[in-house]
Short mmCIF file of all heavy atoms in Angstrom, two decimals:
data_model
loop_
_atom_site.label_atom_id
_atom_site.label_comp_id
_atom_site.label_asym_id
_atom_site.label_seq_id
_atom_site.Cartn_x
_atom_site.Cartn_y
_atom_site.Cartn_z
N MET A 1 -3.17 -19.21 22.48
CA MET A 1 -2.01 -18.75 21.76
C MET A 1 -1.81 -17.26 22.08
O MET A 1 -2.66 -16.44 21.84
CB MET A 1 -2.25 -18.97 20.26
CG MET A 1 -1.17 -18.44 19.39
SD MET A 1 -1.29 -19.11 17.73
CE MET A 1 -1.99 -17.75 16.86
N SER A 2 -0.66 -16.92 22.62
CA SER A 2 -0.39 -15.52 22.95
C SER A 2 0.77 -15.02 22.10
O SER A 2 1.68 -15.77 21.76
CB SER A 2 -0.06 -15.37 24.43
OG SER A 2 1.14 -16.04 24.72
N ALA A 3 0.68 -13.76 21.75
CA ALA A 3 1.73 -13.14 20.95
C ALA A 3 2.29 -11.96 21.73
O ALA A 3 1.55 -11.23 22.38
CB ALA A 3 1.17 -12.68 19.62
N ALA A 4 3.60 -11.79 21.66
CA ALA A 4 4.22 -10.67 22.33
C ALA A 4 3.89 -9.38 21.57
O ALA A 4 3.73 -9.39 20.36
CB ALA A 4 5.73 -10.87 22.36
N LEU A 5 3.79 -8.30 22.32
CA LEU A 5 3.53 -7.02 21.69
C LEU A 5 4.83 -6.46 21.11
O LEU A 5 5.89 -6.62 21.70
CB LEU A 5 2.97 -6.03 22.71
CG LEU A 5 1.63 -6.40 23.35
CD1 LEU A 5 1.25 -5.39 24.42
CD2 LEU A 5 0.54 -6.49 22.29
N ASN A 6 4.70 -5.79 19.96
CA ASN A 6 5.89 -5.18 19.37
C ASN A 6 6.10 -3.79 19.99
O ASN A 6 5.29 -3.30 20.77
CB ASN A 6 5.80 -5.13 17.84
CG ASN A 6 4.68 -4.25 17.35
OD1 ASN A 6 4.42 -3.18 17.88
ND2 ASN A 6 3.99 -4.70 16.30
N GLU A 7 7.22 -3.15 19.63
CA GLU A 7 7.56 -1.85 20.21
C GLU A 7 6.50 -0.78 19.97
O GLU A 7 6.20 0.02 20.85
CB GLU A 7 8.92 -1.37 19.68
CG GLU A 7 10.10 -2.16 20.22
CD GLU A 7 10.22 -2.05 21.72
OE1 GLU A 7 10.09 -0.94 22.27
OE2 GLU A 7 10.43 -3.10 22.36
N THR A 8 5.93 -0.77 18.77
CA THR A 8 4.90 0.22 18.45
C THR A 8 3.68 0.04 19.35
O THR A 8 3.15 1.00 19.90
CB THR A 8 4.48 0.10 16.97
OG1 THR A 8 5.64 0.29 16.15
CG2 THR A 8 3.41 1.11 16.61
N GLN A 9 3.25 -1.21 19.51
CA GLN A 9 2.10 -1.49 20.35
C GLN A 9 2.36 -1.09 21.80
O GLN A 9 1.49 -0.51 22.46
CB GLN A 9 1.75 -2.98 20.27
CG GLN A 9 1.23 -3.38 18.90
CD GLN A 9 1.19 -4.89 18.71
OE1 GLN A 9 2.05 -5.61 19.21
NE2 GLN A 9 0.19 -5.35 17.97
N LEU A 10 3.56 -1.37 22.29
CA LEU A 10 3.90 -1.00 23.67
C LEU A 10 3.88 0.52 23.86
O LEU A 10 3.38 1.02 24.87
CB LEU A 10 5.27 -1.57 24.03
CG LEU A 10 5.33 -3.09 24.17
CD1 LEU A 10 6.78 -3.56 24.31
CD2 LEU A 10 4.49 -3.56 25.35
N GLU A 11 4.42 1.25 22.89
CA GLU A 11 4.43 2.71 22.99
C GLU A 11 3.01 3.28 22.99
O GLU A 11 2.70 4.20 23.73
CB GLU A 11 5.25 3.33 21.86
CG GLU A 11 6.74 3.16 22.03
CD GLU A 11 7.27 3.79 23.31
OE1 GLU A 11 6.87 4.92 23.64
OE2 GLU A 11 8.09 3.13 23.99
N ILE A 12 2.15 2.71 22.16
CA ILE A 12 0.76 3.17 22.11
C ILE A 12 0.06 2.89 23.44
O ILE A 12 -0.68 3.74 23.96
CB ILE A 12 0.00 2.54 20.93
CG1 ILE A 12 0.54 3.13 19.61
CG2 ILE A 12 -1.51 2.76 21.05
CD1 ILE A 12 0.03 2.45 18.36
N LEU A 13 0.32 1.74 24.01
CA LEU A 13 -0.27 1.43 25.32
C LEU A 13 0.20 2.41 26.39
O LEU A 13 -0.59 2.82 27.25
CB LEU A 13 0.07 -0.01 25.73
CG LEU A 13 -0.68 -1.10 25.00
CD1 LEU A 13 -0.15 -2.48 25.41
CD2 LEU A 13 -2.17 -1.02 25.27
N LYS A 14 1.45 2.80 26.34
CA LYS A 14 1.97 3.78 27.30
C LYS A 14 1.22 5.10 27.18
O LYS A 14 0.94 5.77 28.17
CB LYS A 14 3.46 4.01 27.09
CG LYS A 14 4.32 2.87 27.54
CD LYS A 14 5.78 3.20 27.24
CE LYS A 14 6.66 2.00 27.42
NZ LYS A 14 8.07 2.28 27.03
N LEU A 15 0.89 5.49 25.95
CA LEU A 15 0.17 6.74 25.74
C LEU A 15 -1.23 6.71 26.35
O LEU A 15 -1.79 7.75 26.69
CB LEU A 15 0.04 7.03 24.24
CG LEU A 15 1.34 7.36 23.50
CD1 LEU A 15 1.09 7.41 22.01
CD2 LEU A 15 1.89 8.69 24.00
N PHE A 16 -1.78 5.53 26.46
CA PHE A 16 -3.16 5.39 26.93
C PHE A 16 -3.25 4.87 28.37
O PHE A 16 -4.23 4.25 28.74
CB PHE A 16 -3.94 4.48 25.97
CG PHE A 16 -4.10 5.09 24.62
CD1 PHE A 16 -3.36 4.64 23.56
CD2 PHE A 16 -4.97 6.14 24.42
CE1 PHE A 16 -3.48 5.21 22.31
CE2 PHE A 16 -5.10 6.73 23.18
CZ PHE A 16 -4.35 6.26 22.12
N ARG A 17 -2.24 5.14 29.15
CA ARG A 17 -2.28 4.73 30.56
C ARG A 17 -3.42 5.43 31.29
O ARG A 17 -3.96 4.90 32.24
CB ARG A 17 -0.98 5.09 31.26
CG ARG A 17 0.15 4.16 30.99
CD ARG A 17 1.30 4.54 31.87
NE ARG A 17 2.00 5.65 31.23
CZ ARG A 17 3.31 5.83 31.29
NH1 ARG A 17 4.04 5.01 31.99
NH2 ARG A 17 3.86 6.83 30.68
N TYR A 18 -3.74 6.61 30.82
CA TYR A 18 -4.77 7.41 31.48
C TYR A 18 -6.03 7.42 30.62
O TYR A 18 -5.97 7.30 29.40
CB TYR A 18 -4.25 8.83 31.70
CG TYR A 18 -2.91 8.83 32.38
CD1 TYR A 18 -1.75 9.06 31.66
CD2 TYR A 18 -2.81 8.56 33.74
CE1 TYR A 18 -0.50 9.02 32.28
CE2 TYR A 18 -1.58 8.53 34.38
CZ TYR A 18 -0.43 8.76 33.64
OH TYR A 18 0.80 8.72 34.26
N ASN A 19 -7.16 7.55 31.28
CA ASN A 19 -8.43 7.55 30.56
C ASN A 19 -8.49 8.70 29.58
O ASN A 19 -8.08 9.82 29.88
CB ASN A 19 -9.60 7.66 31.54
CG ASN A 19 -9.80 6.37 32.31
OD1 ASN A 19 -9.42 5.31 31.85
ND2 ASN A 19 -10.41 6.48 33.47
N GLN A 20 -9.01 8.41 28.41
CA GLN A 20 -9.19 9.41 27.36
C GLN A 20 -10.70 9.60 27.14
O GLN A 20 -11.46 8.66 27.29
CB GLN A 20 -8.57 8.93 26.04
CG GLN A 20 -7.13 8.52 26.13
CD GLN A 20 -6.20 9.69 26.38
OE1 GLN A 20 -6.45 10.78 25.91
NE2 GLN A 20 -5.15 9.47 27.15
N SER A 21 -11.07 10.79 26.75
CA SER A 21 -12.48 11.00 26.43
C SER A 21 -12.79 10.31 25.10
O SER A 21 -11.89 10.01 24.31
CB SER A 21 -12.77 12.51 26.30
OG SER A 21 -12.18 13.03 25.12
N GLU A 22 -14.05 10.07 24.88
CA GLU A 22 -14.48 9.43 23.63
C GLU A 22 -14.06 10.28 22.43
O GLU A 22 -13.61 9.76 21.41
CB GLU A 22 -16.00 9.22 23.64
CG GLU A 22 -16.51 8.38 22.50
CD GLU A 22 -16.05 6.93 22.57
OE1 GLU A 22 -15.85 6.41 23.68
OE2 GLU A 22 -15.90 6.31 21.50
N GLU A 23 -14.17 11.59 22.58
CA GLU A 23 -13.78 12.49 21.49
C GLU A 23 -12.27 12.41 21.23
O GLU A 23 -11.83 12.40 20.08
CB GLU A 23 -14.18 13.92 21.82
CG GLU A 23 -13.97 14.86 20.65
CD GLU A 23 -14.66 16.19 20.86
OE1 GLU A 23 -15.78 16.22 21.38
OE2 GLU A 23 -14.04 17.20 20.50
N ASP A 24 -11.48 12.34 22.30
CA ASP A 24 -10.03 12.20 22.14
C ASP A 24 -9.69 10.89 21.43
O ASP A 24 -8.82 10.86 20.56
CB ASP A 24 -9.31 12.24 23.49
CG ASP A 24 -9.23 13.64 24.07
OD1 ASP A 24 -9.51 14.62 23.34
OD2 ASP A 24 -8.89 13.75 25.27
N LEU A 25 -10.35 9.83 21.80
CA LEU A 25 -10.09 8.54 21.16
C LEU A 25 -10.41 8.57 19.68
O LEU A 25 -9.67 8.04 18.85
CB LEU A 25 -10.87 7.42 21.86
CG LEU A 25 -10.41 7.09 23.28
CD1 LEU A 25 -11.35 6.08 23.92
CD2 LEU A 25 -8.99 6.58 23.28
N LYS A 26 -11.51 9.22 19.33
CA LYS A 26 -11.88 9.35 17.91
C LYS A 26 -10.82 10.15 17.15
O LYS A 26 -10.46 9.81 16.03
CB LYS A 26 -13.25 10.01 17.77
CG LYS A 26 -14.39 9.10 18.13
CD LYS A 26 -15.72 9.82 17.99
CE LYS A 26 -16.86 8.93 18.44
NZ LYS A 26 -18.16 9.62 18.33
N GLU A 27 -10.35 11.23 17.78
CA GLU A 27 -9.34 12.06 17.12
C GLU A 27 -8.02 11.30 16.96
O GLU A 27 -7.38 11.38 15.91
CB GLU A 27 -9.11 13.34 17.92
CG GLU A 27 -8.19 14.31 17.23
CD GLU A 27 -8.09 15.65 17.96
OE1 GLU A 27 -8.87 15.90 18.88
OE2 GLU A 27 -7.21 16.43 17.57
N ILE A 28 -7.64 10.56 17.97
CA ILE A 28 -6.40 9.77 17.90
C ILE A 28 -6.53 8.70 16.82
O ILE A 28 -5.59 8.48 16.03
CB ILE A 28 -6.07 9.15 19.27
CG1 ILE A 28 -5.66 10.27 20.24
CG2 ILE A 28 -4.96 8.11 19.15
CD1 ILE A 28 -5.63 9.85 21.69
N LYS A 29 -7.67 8.04 16.76
CA LYS A 29 -7.89 7.04 15.72
C LYS A 29 -7.79 7.67 14.34
O LYS A 29 -7.16 7.12 13.43
CB LYS A 29 -9.26 6.38 15.90
CG LYS A 29 -9.55 5.29 14.92
CD LYS A 29 -10.89 4.64 15.18
CE LYS A 29 -11.21 3.57 14.17
NZ LYS A 29 -12.50 2.93 14.42
N SER A 30 -8.37 8.85 14.18
CA SER A 30 -8.32 9.55 12.91
C SER A 30 -6.88 9.91 12.55
O SER A 30 -6.46 9.77 11.39
CB SER A 30 -9.18 10.82 12.99
OG SER A 30 -9.11 11.54 11.79
N LEU A 31 -6.10 10.35 13.52
CA LEU A 31 -4.70 10.69 13.28
C LEU A 31 -3.90 9.46 12.86
O LEU A 31 -3.07 9.53 11.95
CB LEU A 31 -4.08 11.32 14.53
CG LEU A 31 -4.56 12.72 14.88
CD1 LEU A 31 -4.09 13.11 16.28
CD2 LEU A 31 -4.06 13.71 13.86
N LEU A 32 -4.13 8.35 13.54
CA LEU A 32 -3.42 7.11 13.19
C LEU A 32 -3.79 6.64 11.79
O LEU A 32 -2.92 6.23 11.01
CB LEU A 32 -3.73 6.01 14.21
CG LEU A 32 -3.05 6.16 15.57
CD1 LEU A 32 -3.61 5.13 16.56
CD2 LEU A 32 -1.55 6.04 15.45
N LEU A 33 -5.07 6.72 11.45
CA LEU A 33 -5.50 6.33 10.10
C LEU A 33 -4.90 7.24 9.04
O LEU A 33 -4.46 6.78 7.98
CB LEU A 33 -7.02 6.33 10.01
CG LEU A 33 -7.72 5.21 10.78
CD1 LEU A 33 -9.22 5.41 10.78
CD2 LEU A 33 -7.36 3.85 10.20
N ALA A 34 -4.84 8.53 9.32
CA ALA A 34 -4.25 9.48 8.37
C ALA A 34 -2.76 9.18 8.19
O ALA A 34 -2.24 9.19 7.07
CB ALA A 34 -4.46 10.91 8.85
N PHE A 35 -2.07 8.89 9.29
CA PHE A 35 -0.65 8.55 9.23
C PHE A 35 -0.42 7.30 8.37
O PHE A 35 0.42 7.29 7.48
CB PHE A 35 -0.10 8.33 10.64
CG PHE A 35 1.25 7.66 10.65
CD1 PHE A 35 2.40 8.37 10.35
CD2 PHE A 35 1.36 6.31 10.95
CE1 PHE A 35 3.64 7.76 10.35
CE2 PHE A 35 2.60 5.68 10.95
CZ PHE A 35 3.75 6.41 10.64
N LEU A 36 -1.20 6.26 8.64
CA LEU A 36 -1.04 5.01 7.89
C LEU A 36 -1.42 5.17 6.43
O LEU A 36 -0.76 4.63 5.54
CB LEU A 36 -1.85 3.89 8.56
CG LEU A 36 -1.35 3.48 9.95
CD1 LEU A 36 -2.34 2.52 10.59
CD2 LEU A 36 0.04 2.89 9.89
N SER A 37 -2.46 5.92 6.17
CA SER A 37 -2.88 6.18 4.79
C SER A 37 -1.79 6.92 4.03
O SER A 37 -1.46 6.59 2.89
CB SER A 37 -4.17 7.00 4.79
OG SER A 37 -4.52 7.36 3.49
N ASP A 38 -1.20 7.93 4.67
CA ASP A 38 -0.13 8.69 4.04
C ASP A 38 1.08 7.79 3.77
O ASP A 38 1.70 7.88 2.71
CB ASP A 38 0.27 9.86 4.94
CG ASP A 38 1.34 10.73 4.32
OD1 ASP A 38 1.10 11.26 3.21
OD2 ASP A 38 2.42 10.87 4.93
N LYS A 39 1.38 6.92 4.71
CA LYS A 39 2.51 6.01 4.55
C LYS A 39 2.28 5.06 3.36
O LYS A 39 3.18 4.85 2.54
CB LYS A 39 2.72 5.21 5.83
CG LYS A 39 3.95 4.36 5.82
CD LYS A 39 4.19 3.72 7.16
CE LYS A 39 5.44 2.86 7.12
NZ LYS A 39 5.75 2.27 8.40
N VAL A 40 1.09 4.52 3.24
CA VAL A 40 0.77 3.62 2.13
C VAL A 40 0.86 4.38 0.80
O VAL A 40 1.41 3.87 -0.18
CB VAL A 40 -0.64 3.01 2.31
CG1 VAL A 40 -1.12 2.34 1.04
CG2 VAL A 40 -0.63 2.02 3.46
N THR A 41 0.35 5.61 0.78
CA THR A 41 0.39 6.42 -0.44
C THR A 41 1.84 6.70 -0.85
O THR A 41 2.20 6.57 -2.03
CB THR A 41 -0.36 7.74 -0.23
OG1 THR A 41 -1.72 7.45 0.07
CG2 THR A 41 -0.31 8.62 -1.47
N ARG A 42 2.68 7.04 0.13
CA ARG A 42 4.09 7.31 -0.18
C ARG A 42 4.78 6.06 -0.72
O ARG A 42 5.56 6.14 -1.68
CB ARG A 42 4.83 7.83 1.05
CG ARG A 42 4.53 9.30 1.34
CD ARG A 42 5.34 9.84 2.52
NE ARG A 42 4.65 9.47 3.76
CZ ARG A 42 5.21 8.81 4.77
NH1 ARG A 42 6.46 8.47 4.73
NH2 ARG A 42 4.51 8.51 5.84
N GLU A 43 4.51 4.91 -0.13
CA GLU A 43 5.11 3.66 -0.59
C GLU A 43 4.62 3.30 -1.99
O GLU A 43 5.40 2.83 -2.82
CB GLU A 43 4.84 2.53 0.40
CG GLU A 43 5.60 2.65 1.70
CD GLU A 43 7.11 2.58 1.52
OE1 GLU A 43 7.59 1.73 0.74
OE2 GLU A 43 7.80 3.40 2.15
N ALA A 44 3.34 3.51 -2.24
CA ALA A 44 2.79 3.22 -3.57
C ALA A 44 3.39 4.17 -4.60
O ALA A 44 3.79 3.73 -5.70
CB ALA A 44 1.27 3.34 -3.55
N ASP A 45 3.49 5.45 -4.26
CA ASP A 45 4.10 6.42 -5.18
C ASP A 45 5.54 6.03 -5.49
O ASP A 45 5.97 6.08 -6.65
CB ASP A 45 4.08 7.83 -4.58
CG ASP A 45 2.70 8.46 -4.59
OD1 ASP A 45 1.80 7.94 -5.29
OD2 ASP A 45 2.52 9.48 -3.88
N LYS A 46 6.27 5.62 -4.48
CA LYS A 46 7.66 5.21 -4.66
C LYS A 46 7.75 4.00 -5.60
O LYS A 46 8.55 3.98 -6.53
CB LYS A 46 8.28 4.87 -3.30
CG LYS A 46 9.70 4.41 -3.35
CD LYS A 46 10.20 4.09 -1.95
CE LYS A 46 11.49 3.32 -1.99
NZ LYS A 46 11.89 2.85 -0.65
N ALA A 47 6.90 3.01 -5.37
CA ALA A 47 6.90 1.80 -6.21
C ALA A 47 6.52 2.14 -7.65
O ALA A 47 7.13 1.64 -8.59
CB ALA A 47 5.94 0.76 -5.63
N PHE A 48 5.53 3.00 -7.82
CA PHE A 48 5.09 3.37 -9.17
C PHE A 48 6.17 4.18 -9.88
O PHE A 48 6.40 4.00 -11.08
CB PHE A 48 3.77 4.13 -9.12
CG PHE A 48 2.59 3.21 -9.05
CD1 PHE A 48 2.35 2.44 -7.92
CD2 PHE A 48 1.73 3.08 -10.11
CE1 PHE A 48 1.28 1.58 -7.85
CE2 PHE A 48 0.65 2.21 -10.05
CZ PHE A 48 0.43 1.45 -8.92
N ASP A 49 6.87 5.05 -9.15
CA ASP A 49 7.97 5.80 -9.76
C ASP A 49 9.09 4.85 -10.19
O ASP A 49 9.66 5.00 -11.27
CB ASP A 49 8.52 6.84 -8.79
CG ASP A 49 7.58 8.02 -8.59
OD1 ASP A 49 6.64 8.18 -9.40
OD2 ASP A 49 7.78 8.76 -7.60
N GLU A 50 9.40 3.89 -9.33
CA GLU A 50 10.46 2.93 -9.65
C GLU A 50 10.11 2.09 -10.87
O GLU A 50 10.98 1.74 -11.66
CB GLU A 50 10.74 2.03 -8.45
CG GLU A 50 11.45 2.76 -7.31
CD GLU A 50 11.55 1.93 -6.04
OE1 GLU A 50 11.04 0.79 -6.01
OE2 GLU A 50 12.16 2.43 -5.07
N LYS A 51 8.82 1.76 -11.02
CA LYS A 51 8.38 0.94 -12.15
C LYS A 51 8.09 1.79 -13.40
O LYS A 51 7.89 1.25 -14.47
CB LYS A 51 7.10 0.17 -11.79
CG LYS A 51 7.24 -0.78 -10.63
CD LYS A 51 7.71 -2.10 -11.12
CE LYS A 51 7.70 -3.08 -9.94
NZ LYS A 51 8.29 -4.33 -10.28
N GLY A 52 8.04 3.10 -13.23
CA GLY A 52 7.76 3.98 -14.35
C GLY A 52 6.30 3.98 -14.78
O GLY A 52 5.98 4.30 -15.92
N TYR A 53 5.40 3.63 -13.86
CA TYR A 53 3.98 3.63 -14.18
C TYR A 53 3.45 5.05 -14.27
O TYR A 53 3.88 5.93 -13.55
CB TYR A 53 3.18 2.88 -13.12
CG TYR A 53 3.45 1.40 -13.03
CD1 TYR A 53 3.18 0.71 -11.86
CD2 TYR A 53 3.96 0.68 -14.09
CE1 TYR A 53 3.41 -0.66 -11.76
CE2 TYR A 53 4.19 -0.68 -14.01
CZ TYR A 53 3.92 -1.34 -12.84
OH TYR A 53 4.15 -2.68 -12.74
N GLY A 54 2.49 5.25 -15.13
CA GLY A 54 1.86 6.56 -15.28
C GLY A 54 0.36 6.43 -15.34
O GLY A 54 -0.21 5.38 -15.02
N VAL A 55 -0.29 7.48 -15.79
CA VAL A 55 -1.75 7.54 -15.86
C VAL A 55 -2.30 6.43 -16.76
O VAL A 55 -3.33 5.83 -16.46
CB VAL A 55 -2.21 8.93 -16.36
CG1 VAL A 55 -3.71 8.96 -16.57
CG2 VAL A 55 -1.78 10.00 -15.38
N ALA A 56 -1.60 6.13 -17.84
CA ALA A 56 -2.07 5.10 -18.77
C ALA A 56 -2.22 3.75 -18.08
O ALA A 56 -3.18 3.01 -18.36
CB ALA A 56 -1.10 4.97 -19.95
N VAL A 57 -1.32 3.42 -17.18
CA VAL A 57 -1.41 2.15 -16.45
C VAL A 57 -2.66 2.13 -15.58
O VAL A 57 -3.39 1.14 -15.53
CB VAL A 57 -0.14 1.93 -15.59
CG1 VAL A 57 -0.30 0.73 -14.67
CG2 VAL A 57 1.07 1.76 -16.48
N PHE A 58 -2.94 3.24 -14.89
CA PHE A 58 -4.13 3.31 -14.05
C PHE A 58 -5.40 3.15 -14.89
O PHE A 58 -6.33 2.44 -14.50
CB PHE A 58 -4.20 4.63 -13.28
CG PHE A 58 -3.26 4.71 -12.13
CD1 PHE A 58 -2.14 5.52 -12.19
CD2 PHE A 58 -3.48 3.97 -10.98
CE1 PHE A 58 -1.26 5.61 -11.13
CE2 PHE A 58 -2.60 4.04 -9.91
CZ PHE A 58 -1.49 4.86 -9.98
N GLU A 59 -5.43 3.80 -16.02
CA GLU A 59 -6.60 3.70 -16.89
C GLU A 59 -6.79 2.27 -17.37
O GLU A 59 -7.92 1.77 -17.43
CB GLU A 59 -6.48 4.67 -18.07
CG GLU A 59 -6.51 6.13 -17.68
CD GLU A 59 -7.77 6.51 -16.92
OE1 GLU A 59 -8.88 6.07 -17.29
OE2 GLU A 59 -7.64 7.26 -15.93
N LYS A 60 -5.71 1.60 -17.70
CA LYS A 60 -5.80 0.21 -18.15
C LYS A 60 -6.29 -0.69 -17.01
O LYS A 60 -7.13 -1.56 -17.20
CB LYS A 60 -4.43 -0.26 -18.64
CG LYS A 60 -4.44 -1.68 -19.17
CD LYS A 60 -3.06 -2.07 -19.71
CE LYS A 60 -3.14 -3.46 -20.28
NZ LYS A 60 -2.20 -4.37 -19.69
N TRP A 61 -5.76 -0.46 -15.80
CA TRP A 61 -6.15 -1.28 -14.65
C TRP A 61 -7.63 -1.12 -14.32
O TRP A 61 -8.25 -2.04 -13.80
CB TRP A 61 -5.31 -0.93 -13.44
CG TRP A 61 -3.90 -1.46 -13.53
CD1 TRP A 61 -3.39 -2.30 -14.47
CD2 TRP A 61 -2.84 -1.18 -12.63
NE1 TRP A 61 -2.07 -2.55 -14.21
CE2 TRP A 61 -1.71 -1.89 -13.08
CE3 TRP A 61 -2.73 -0.41 -11.48
CZ2 TRP A 61 -0.49 -1.83 -12.43
CZ3 TRP A 61 -1.52 -0.35 -10.83
CH2 TRP A 61 -0.41 -1.06 -11.30
N LYS A 62 -8.20 0.04 -14.59
CA LYS A 62 -9.62 0.26 -14.30
C LYS A 62 -10.51 -0.72 -15.06
O LYS A 62 -11.59 -1.05 -14.61
CB LYS A 62 -10.03 1.68 -14.69
CG LYS A 62 -9.58 2.75 -13.75
CD LYS A 62 -10.14 4.07 -14.27
CE LYS A 62 -9.61 5.26 -13.57
NZ LYS A 62 -10.16 6.52 -14.14
N THR A 63 -10.04 -1.17 -16.21
CA THR A 63 -10.86 -2.03 -17.05
C THR A 63 -10.52 -3.51 -16.90
O THR A 63 -11.20 -4.36 -17.46
CB THR A 63 -10.71 -1.65 -18.53
OG1 THR A 63 -9.36 -1.83 -18.94
CG2 THR A 63 -11.13 -0.19 -18.76
N GLU A 64 -9.46 -3.82 -16.16
CA GLU A 64 -9.04 -5.20 -16.01
C GLU A 64 -9.71 -5.86 -14.81
O GLU A 64 -10.11 -5.20 -13.86
CB GLU A 64 -7.52 -5.28 -15.86
CG GLU A 64 -6.79 -4.93 -17.13
CD GLU A 64 -5.29 -5.06 -16.99
OE1 GLU A 64 -4.80 -5.48 -15.91
OE2 GLU A 64 -4.59 -4.72 -17.96
N HIS A 65 -9.77 -7.16 -14.87
CA HIS A 65 -10.34 -7.95 -13.79
C HIS A 65 -9.18 -8.69 -13.12
O HIS A 65 -8.52 -9.49 -13.76
CB HIS A 65 -11.38 -8.93 -14.36
CG HIS A 65 -12.09 -9.71 -13.31
ND1 HIS A 65 -13.04 -9.16 -12.50
CD2 HIS A 65 -11.99 -10.99 -12.95
CE1 HIS A 65 -13.51 -10.08 -11.68
NE2 HIS A 65 -12.88 -11.20 -11.93
N PHE A 66 -8.94 -8.43 -11.85
CA PHE A 66 -7.76 -8.97 -11.17
C PHE A 66 -8.03 -10.20 -10.30
O PHE A 66 -7.11 -10.76 -9.74
CB PHE A 66 -7.11 -7.90 -10.31
CG PHE A 66 -6.42 -6.84 -11.12
CD1 PHE A 66 -7.02 -5.61 -11.32
CD2 PHE A 66 -5.19 -7.08 -11.69
CE1 PHE A 66 -6.40 -4.63 -12.07
CE2 PHE A 66 -4.54 -6.11 -12.44
CZ PHE A 66 -5.15 -4.89 -12.63
N ARG A 67 -9.26 -10.60 -10.17
CA ARG A 67 -9.54 -11.77 -9.32
C ARG A 67 -8.97 -13.03 -9.93
O ARG A 67 -9.05 -13.25 -11.14
CB ARG A 67 -11.04 -11.95 -9.13
CG ARG A 67 -11.59 -11.09 -8.05
CD ARG A 67 -12.96 -11.58 -7.68
NE ARG A 67 -13.80 -10.42 -7.53
CZ ARG A 67 -15.10 -10.44 -7.53
NH1 ARG A 67 -15.75 -11.56 -7.72
NH2 ARG A 67 -15.79 -9.35 -7.37
N LYS A 68 -8.45 -13.85 -9.07
CA LYS A 68 -7.95 -15.14 -9.55
C LYS A 68 -9.11 -16.11 -9.64
O LYS A 68 -10.02 -16.09 -8.83
CB LYS A 68 -6.90 -15.70 -8.60
CG LYS A 68 -5.63 -14.91 -8.59
CD LYS A 68 -4.60 -15.56 -7.71
CE LYS A 68 -3.31 -14.79 -7.78
NZ LYS A 68 -2.27 -15.43 -6.98
N SER A 69 -9.04 -16.98 -10.59
CA SER A 69 -10.08 -17.99 -10.77
C SER A 69 -9.99 -19.01 -9.65
O SER A 69 -8.92 -19.39 -9.21
CB SER A 69 -9.90 -18.69 -12.11
OG SER A 69 -10.80 -19.75 -12.22
N THR A 70 -11.14 -19.47 -9.17
CA THR A 70 -11.15 -20.49 -8.13
C THR A 70 -11.26 -21.89 -8.74
O THR A 70 -11.32 -22.86 -8.02
CB THR A 70 -12.33 -20.26 -7.14
OG1 THR A 70 -13.55 -20.27 -7.88
CG2 THR A 70 -12.15 -18.97 -6.40
N GLN A 71 -11.33 -21.94 -10.06
CA GLN A 71 -11.39 -23.24 -10.71
C GLN A 71 -9.99 -23.84 -10.70
O GLN A 71 -9.01 -23.17 -10.90
CB GLN A 71 -11.89 -23.09 -12.14
CG GLN A 71 -13.29 -22.56 -12.22
CD GLN A 71 -13.69 -22.25 -13.66
OE1 GLN A 71 -12.84 -22.06 -14.50
NE2 GLN A 71 -14.99 -22.20 -13.89
N GLY A 72 -9.93 -25.11 -10.49
CA GLY A 72 -8.60 -25.66 -10.42
C GLY A 72 -8.62 -27.05 -10.83
O GLY A 72 -8.03 -27.90 -11.03
#
């Protein structure tokens, strides 16, 4: 089963046409992770603002159990 690469994947491959040092690869990975982490944080902040969630909701969630039961 093969899947076509999306535009983002193709652009990243173009960037890596040339050999990179191990240190460069680690730094690039760190940059990508920071970018994605920031994006997730911004989306979560936006969703929480839209829902009007505050600190009280977070405190409540800390004590709740969110796993679904496997009994059926």
Side-chain angles (χ1 to χ4, degrees):
M1 176 164 103
S2 65
L5 298 175
N6 64 40
E7 289 298 316
T8 302
Q9 292 167 325
L10 291 171
E11 287 300 316
I12 290 172
L13 286 174
K14 287 178 191 176
L15 292 171
F16 294 105
R17 282 187 278 214
Y18 308 102
N19 288 335
Q20 306 291 326
S21 71
E22 190 67 30
E23 188 167 320
D24 285 347
L25 291 174
K26 286 179 184 179
E27 186 174 349
I28 291 166
K29 183 178 178 180
S30 178
L31 289 168
L32 286 171
L33 289 172
F35 166 77
L36 293 172
S37 175
D38 183 58
K39 186 174 180 177
V40 167
T41 299
R42 283 184 277 125
E43 289 297 318
D45 287 346
K46 179 181 166 187
F48 276 68
D49 288 345
E50 288 172 358
K51 299 273 186 187
Y53 294 157
V55 174
V57 172
F58 285 108
E59 293 303 318
K60 182 177 182 237
W61 285 353
K62 284 183 189 178
T63 62
E64 291 182 3
H65 184 73
F66 288 102
R67 277 195 222 163
K68 291 184 177 183
S69 174
T70 57
Q71 297 172 339

